[in-house]
Amino acid sequence: MQGACQTILECVGEDPEREGLVKTPSRWAKALLFMTKGYCQTAEEVTNGAIFSEDHDEMVVVKNISISSLCEHHMVPFTGRVHIGYIPNGKVIGLSKLARIAEVFARRLQVQERLTSQIADAIVDAVDPLGVAVLIECSHMCMVMRGVEKVGTSTATSSVRGCFQKDPKSRAEFFSIVHGGAPTMC
């Protein structure tokens, strides 16, 4: 990887022996391995058994999970927030584990659409809920720094499973909670 980075530096017209760049190939290799560490992890590993029997059948939502990933088309970052909701079916998962599941898949070369589905599917596999909803909102540097160069744009993707797919009220409640509303209490 370090040799590849030296070649890239030369190809863009830089001198890899320049003081500020001498250690760049090593730093770049370490950074890229960190940013793609999701290939060495599974959702099952990061949940680490934090799945519990619980008689709770109302929606659980964790909002604003920050993520960073690399676009597989340009290998530049996209960053944003993941919102996850699920309705348990006899089992709940530790709340921090939802963030860890998101991180496993974000730390791979990605497209946002696939990332959204992978998170939803992993939660289905982990706790077999009545339904799962995932919404991701991100800014893509491939749209900001190159190509169309549109600062301030964001992309939203959603993936729903089970009752969120079949029941418009559950789906609407999830999106209401994510966008600042709260469930209506009687």
Side-chain angles (χ1 to χ4, degrees), residues 11-14 22 30 37 47 51 58 61-62 64 76 93 95-96 120-121 155 161 163 167 180 185:
C11 287
V12 299
E14 269 293 354
V22 170
K30 288 176 187 173
K37 69 182 182 175
T47 57
I51 296 169
E58 297 294 327
V61 178
V62 177
N64 297 316
V76 294
I93 188 168
L95 298 175
S96 70
D121 291 341
T155 301
R161 304 287 186 270
C163 65
D167 179 14
M185 299 296 187

Side-chain angles (χ1 to χ4, degrees), residues 25-92:
S26 173
R27 289 189 297 256
W28 177 80
K30 288 176 187 173
L32 188 57
L33 288 172
F34 178 80
M35 290 184 284
T36 59
K37 69 182 182 175
Y39 289 115
C40 299
Q41 299 174 310
T42 66
E44 186 177 356
E45 289 170 346
V46 299
T47 57
N48 197 25
I51 296 169
F52 310 99
S53 296
E54 191 64 44
D55 185 27
H56 181 81
D57 62 358
E58 297 294 327
M59 194 178 305
V60 176
V61 178
V62 177
K63 302 184 332 181
N64 297 316
I65 301 166
S66 63
I67 60 155
S68 298
S69 192
L70 292 175
C71 163
E72 71 180 33
H73 300 138
H74 304 100
M75 286 184 57
V76 294
F78 64 94
T79 61
R81 303 273 180 214
V82 178
H83 315 284
I84 300 170
Y86 76 102
I87 299 178
N89 188 21
K91 293 187 281 187
V92 296

Side-chain angles (χ1 to χ4, degrees), residues 139-158:
S139 177
H140 291 253
M141 292 301 110
C142 58
M143 286 186 64
V144 172
M145 295 179 67
R146 55 157 305 281
V148 71
E149 297 183 82
K150 296 299 176 196
V151 175
T153 60
S154 64
T155 301
T157 52
S158 66

Side-chain angles (χ1 to χ4, degrees), residues 81 83 112-113 116 134-140 153-159 175 179:
R81 303 273 180 214
H83 315 284
Q112 185 174 324
E113 298 88 343
T116 310
V134 177
L135 173 66
I136 300 181
E137 300 168 306
C138 286
S139 177
H140 291 253
T153 60
S154 64
T155 301
T157 52
S158 66
S159 187
F175 286 106
H179 290 113

